[in-house]
Amino acid sequence: MAGILADKKVLVKDEAEGSQIYNKGYFGNPLSGGGLELDLLDAIYLLEAERLEIRSNNNPVSHAMLMSEGVKAINEFEIQYLVFRDMRMRGYVVRRGPEPGDFHVFPRGGAPKKTPSKWWLLAISERRIFDYGEFSKILDQVEKSKKHLLVALVDEEGDITYYECVRKPPRGNLHSNPLKSQIKGILLNDRVLVEGHAWVNLLQKSEFFGKKVWEALQLSLCEALYLVERGDMNIVNAKTKRAINADTLKRKAVEVQKDFHLRYRVYCDLKKNNMLVKTGFKYGSHFRAYKGDPDVYHAKYLVHAVEKDFRTSWPELSRIIRLAHGVKKEIAFARVLERSVEYLRLKRVRP
């Protein structure tokens, strides 16, 4: 079959040939007067598959010539083509989508104008910067269209890693209830100590606070401040023996942990969502979060608190996601906004 390269498109003028290409894979757009108009992505793929010959001024057009035309017309065209090609080879019908997405992906066996698309797909080079604010705007539009967002990250060797992106808070079933008890805590430096068998048992059995060290209980600064603000704990400074209030404890916490305010906002929000929250240090994140009793549930999420304008490299993001995947957890980036916390959950998938 022969197509003609013209104005960044490839035209298949023969109606029968155009119909055959379209019906077997839904490539291109049928023309009202017969024939088929192909995007450069479609044309290169069909050329590779030896389903189409392409000519310009009666001369054959090569794969490299088509790629050059694409690069001149579209930014990161080569990245888009690698992703388009991979999804096509996996059996999906892929069509260009409206910005800010790159493609609409239809389920296997589906067809444009007959089947709703399954994903909005972004094709991204590993060298691009992840900007949470810009990414959140993309998710706004994806959610309005009631689709799911799939990110295809292309490395310098052309290998592709796929991430499914969902903006949804983790939720558990561990309800927080005031203890109706004035527990005494001792501020050491970067943690709070609780002594007394009854108090230790109460804190551990109610919401699994702290970690037992011999007969005492060590609380993180987030746990201690949460209990103070809830009215369940009074704290004294181990050095001065003076009582300290919540504001003083916050100041002390910031002295030893500069991003404490950020972390504490996320800690409180997770508690509000009935999650059990523990440190995620050994996994390279701020928190690990359980849906409930840790003897029944494993920690499903690793949660990392980030600022509103958080930016990082995609390789760094990929490292964090891969680590979470390797320990059978899901990473959630908790973006701290003025009045709320927004959670972006990223999961490595195979489409």
Side-chain angles (χ1 to χ4, degrees), residues 228-248:
V228 169
E229 290 191 332
R230 204 170 71 173
D232 290 327
M233 178 174 282
N234 294 318
I235 294 180
V236 297
N237 190 312
K239 296 176 182 178
T240 65
K241 306 301 181 183
R242 294 178 179 175
I244 58 175
N245 60 22
D247 288 338
T248 302

Side-chain angles (χ1 to χ4, degrees), residues 163 280 282-285 287-288 298-304 316-333 345-348:
Y163 301 108
K282 68 176 69 174
Y283 301 109
S285 62
F287 302 111
R288 64 188 196 275
H298 81 287
K300 184 175 181 181
Y301 303 102
L302 298 180
V303 182
H304 204 72
E316 179 64 16
L317 214 61
S318 178
R319 181 189 64 79
I320 298 170
I321 299 167
R322 184 63 180 262
L323 191 153
H325 181 81
V327 292
K328 298 181 180 179
K329 303 185 192 308
E330 189 175 329
I331 187 70
F333 291 93
R345 289 152 59 173
L346 296 164
K347 183 168 64 173
R348 192 177 180 195

Side-chain angles (χ1 to χ4, degrees), residues 51-236:
R51 290 181 57 189
L52 183 68
E53 293 179 2
I54 302 172
R55 306 185 76 83
S56 177
N57 297 322
N58 289 324
N59 295 314
V61 176
S62 67
H63 179 282
M65 291 171 65
L66 283 177
M67 288 295 293
S68 296
E69 289 294 315
V71 168
K72 286 189 288 185
I74 299 171
N75 186 39
E76 293 192 346
F77 178 83
E78 70 279 19
I79 300 297
Q80 293 187 10
Y81 179 68
L82 288 169
V83 174
F84 175 88
R85 179 179 183 272
D86 187 67
M87 292 298 285
R88 275 289 187 175
M89 292 179 72
R90 292 173 183 267
Y92 292 99
V93 174
V94 185
R95 306 299 294 268
R96 283 200 179 277
E99 291 186 353
D102 293 312
F103 303 111
H104 283 170
V105 180
F106 295 86
R108 292 185 180 97
K113 300 180 181 179
K114 296 180 181 179
T115 311
S117 59
K118 184 176 183 179
W119 289 301
W120 273 30
L121 176 60
L122 284 178
I124 295 176
S125 166
E126 66 162 319
R127 295 182 176 88
R128 202 186 294 185
I129 293 296
F130 173 82
D131 184 312
Y132 201 143
E134 292 302 316
F135 202 77
S136 188
K137 292 176 184 177
I138 293 172
L139 280 166
D140 287 340
Q141 297 189 46
V142 173
E143 290 168 0
K144 285 180 183 178
S145 68
K146 298 182 179 180
K147 305 295 180 188
H148 296 286
L149 180 64
L150 189 67
V151 169
L153 193 64
V154 183
D155 68 20
E156 63 180 338
E157 294 181 349
D159 291 333
I160 304 170
T161 305
Y162 292 93
Y163 301 108
E164 196 165 54
C165 310
V166 178
R167 195 165 48 179
K168 186 178 181 181
R171 297 194 183 277
N173 53 33
L174 187 70
H175 296 282
S176 297
N177 296 302
L179 300 177
K180 299 180 181 179
S181 179
Q182 288 296 308
I183 295 170
K184 180 182 177 182
I186 303 170
L187 175 64
L188 303 178
N189 182 40
D190 65 349
R191 64 204 65 204
V192 170
L193 192 69
V194 175
E195 294 181 307
H197 181 75
W199 284 344
V200 169
N201 281 349
L202 179 61
L203 287 170
Q204 284 211 304
K205 289 182 179 180
S206 61
E207 295 172 47
F208 306 96
F209 286 109
K211 183 174 182 179
K212 198 170 182 181
V213 180
W214 193 46
E215 293 184 353
L217 192 69
Q218 287 190 11
L219 299 175
S220 72
L221 293 173
C222 282
E223 290 175 318
L225 180 58
Y226 179 79
L227 287 166
V228 169
E229 290 191 332
R230 204 170 71 173
D232 290 327
M233 178 174 282
N234 294 318
I235 294 180
V236 297

Side-chain angles (χ1 to χ4, degrees), residues 2-19:
I4 306 299
L5 176 63
D7 194 26
K8 313 300 181 185
K9 301 284 185 182
V10 172
L11 302 177
V12 179
K13 294 184 177 181
D14 185 275
E15 185 174 351
E17 291 181 351
S19 179

